[in-house]
Structures are given as structure tokens and as C-alpha cells.
Amino acid sequence: MAVATVNLRAVTSWVGIARLFAVVLSCVAFSLVASTGEYKSPYGTWCMFTWCFCFAVTLVVLVLELLEFYSALPISWDDFTSAFSMLAALMVFTTSVVYPSTSIGSPCSSHCAQKAVATTASCLCFLAYALEVGLTRAKPGDISSFLSTVPGLLKVFEVYVACLIFSLLDSYASEAGLQWCVAVYSICFIVTFLIIIFTIGRCLAYIPCPLEKMLVGYNALALVMYITATVLWPLYSFKDTKRPNPCNSECTWNKHLGVTFLTIFNLIAYLVDLIYSTRMVFIRTPS
């Protein structure tokens, strides 16, 4: 008969403590916002989903590590936890910016204290996840899981930014240049997302080619594709158009501007990814 063991290091190590803080702070954030009843807008719904999702997954991670059940899962646990902590940090950071800017007016009209404390809890929750990312990131020269390395963490960042880009896309069918940009976002998102899934599912070993060199080649191709999107998207989006007045968060011009900046962010991410991947594959440090 199998006996469950308790691994106290799951909650007493620095990583475990960071996760405990993340659980408590995300719970505080969504509880306070739920008590106000003012979260029915699309942005409020996104914020509530972020806090609840991060709370639930982090709690499950803590329980699985506390009872040491994670070893029975058919996945790479270190890759999964590294990818999730990076994703959670990005999601909570976005929420910490979006929630106060869309839900707290100037001046604040109702439930001001709850909203302010929820925003503070969300910011602290982001710091907890960022601390976890820093603690679990592989150091130079370490033999570790891929998603805990800088290129692996950048893969999560690239996928998340692509999701933000998709959320802002509305009108792009009128220009072939904009259609090409959407194709770039979609292709790079799909390939990068599959790399993450295959890594967590321990499927990369079955690919019959030099994986590290293939990733370097893909990063170079993605970088070139994003360079074209960085040029073409603002060229065709703002050609012969001026910013309307007024122009709120639902304004197409503002959405296109957001896509422009997010495209630049992903361009930089793929550039850094290519540099790190090339160093890891082709530049060997003497042992």
C-alpha cells in the first residue's frame, strides 16, 4: 500500500514561500474585487480570470509538491513550473496595470479602499511570481530544464505577447501588408507554443534532427519575420489616417498603436532569444 509522504521543503524553501505569498495575494485581490461587484466589463473579467487562474494553479502546484505526487505525472515538472511562473508573472503584471487604469476613476467614485488594496495585492503578487522566476531560473553553465533557461523563459514571453496582439486585432483584411503581419504573428505563435508544449510533454527527444541548431534556425527566421511586421504594420495601419478625437480604449487607432508596440517587444524578445540560443549552441565555455 502506497503511503503519501510530506515534503515540507515545498512550503519552507524560498520558492515555496514565494508561491505561498502568490496564493494569498491573488486570493486577496480577487476576493476584494468580487466584493465590489464591479468586474463585469471585459477588462474586469480578464483581471478576475487572471487572479483566479493563478491562485488555483499555484495552489495545485503547492499541494502536488507538498505530497510529492508530481513525480507520477507524465510531464517535465521543472519545465511546467518554470513556464507557469513566467506566464503568471506576465499575466499578473498586465492585470496590475489594466485593473487600476480601467476600474479606478479619477476621482474614485465607489469602493475605493477595496480597489486600492486589490491593486496593491496584485502588484505584490507579481513580485512574488517574479521572485519565483528569479529563484528557479537556470544559472549559466547549469544543466537544467530548457524552460528555466533564458531562451525558455523568452519563449513564454513571446507566446504571451502574441496573445495580447491577437486580443487587439480587429481590422486588417483591407491591406495585404496587414494580412502578412497577422500571418507572422500566427505562425510564430503556433511554432513557439508547440515548442513549449513539446518541452513540457517530454516530446522533443523524438524529433529526428539536431534540436538546438533547429531552434537557433527558427529564432533567426522568426526574427526576420518580425522585422518585416515591425515595418509593415505601422506603415499600413497609420497610412493616411489621423488619431480621431475622442479615441478611447476601443478605438481602432489606439489598438493599432498597441499592436505596434507589442510587435516591437516581441522583435526584441526574438533578438535576445537568438543571441542566447546561439551562445548556448555554438559558443562553448571551457570546462
Side-chain angles (χ1 to χ4, degrees):
M1 181 178 177
V3 179
T5 59
V6 176
N7 177 22
L8 292 179
R9 278 192 55 80
V11 292
T12 58
S13 64
W14 284 112
V15 173
I17 293 172
R19 288 172 179 163
L20 285 174
F21 272 106
V23 166
V24 173
L25 291 167
S26 58
C27 182
V28 169
F30 75 71
S31 298
L32 286 172
V33 174
S35 69
T36 67
E38 299 178 7
Y39 55 88
K40 307 298 183 180
S41 67
Y43 293 112
T45 302
W46 160 254
C47 295
M48 285 292 287
F49 167 77
T50 296
W51 293 320
C52 293
F53 171 75
C54 294
F55 166 81
V57 177
T58 308
L59 185 61
V60 169
V61 168
L62 279 171
V63 172
L64 290 176
E65 290 208 344
L66 183 65
L67 301 179
E68 295 189 336
F69 286 160
Y70 65 90
S71 58
L73 299 176
I75 62 173
S76 174
W77 183 251
D78 289 338
D79 281 312
F80 170 75
T81 53
S82 296
F84 170 72
S85 61
M86 182 64 175
L87 176 63
L90 293 170
M91 292 177 67
V92 175
F93 173 77
T94 305
T95 299
S96 300
V97 175
V98 169
Y99 178 74
S101 61
T102 58
S103 300
I104 303 178
S106 180
C108 180
S109 57
S110 63
H111 305 290
C112 301
Q114 291 98 315
K115 293 177 180 179
V117 175
T119 301
T120 303
S122 184
C123 294
L124 294 175
C125 186
F126 160 70
L127 293 178
Y129 281 118
L131 176 62
E132 181 183 349
V133 171
L135 291 172
T136 57
R137 184 177 70 84
K139 304 300 186 294
D142 285 355
I143 301 175
S144 184
S145 56
F146 171 69
L147 292 181
S148 65
T149 63
V150 172
L153 295 174
L154 285 171
K155 291 286 186 291
V156 181
F157 177 84
E158 291 154 6
V159 166
Y160 182 72
V161 171
C163 290
L164 294 180
I165 290 175
F166 294 144
S167 70
L168 295 176
L169 293 177
D170 52 5
S171 59
Y172 55 86
S174 59
E175 297 283 353
L178 297 181
Q179 293 175 7
W180 163 252
C181 294
V182 175
V184 169
Y185 305 142
S186 302
I187 293 170
C188 293
F189 168 79
I190 292 171
V191 175
T192 307
F193 183 71
L194 287 177
I195 291 172
I196 295 173
I197 295 299
F198 287 169
T199 302
I200 295 175
R202 298 175 178 172
C203 300
L204 292 179
Y206 299 104
I207 298 178
C209 59
L211 180 61
E212 294 83 0
K213 294 182 180 180
M214 184 190 73
L215 290 178
V216 171
Y218 163 67
N219 289 333
L221 177 61
L223 177 64
V224 173
M225 293 174 69
Y226 258 91
I227 289 175
T228 63
T230 304
V231 175
L232 293 178
W233 181 265
L235 176 64
Y236 284 98
S237 294
F238 304 115
K239 181 176 61 175
D240 301 326
T241 60
K242 294 183 179 180
R243 185 176 188 271
N245 188 17
C247 188
N248 57 21
S249 60
E250 299 300 324
C251 175
T252 299
W253 197 94
N254 276 351
K255 289 183 177 180
H256 284 179
L257 183 62
V259 172
T260 301
F261 280 106
L262 291 172
T263 302
I264 295 173
F265 293 158
N266 246 3
L267 172 67
I268 296 172
Y270 278 108
L271 174 61
V272 177
D273 195 352
L274 177 61
I275 293 173
Y276 267 90
S277 299
T278 303
R279 289 182 59 188
M280 290 174 62
V281 173
F282 297 106
I283 303 177
R284 305 290 184 181
T285 57
S287 57

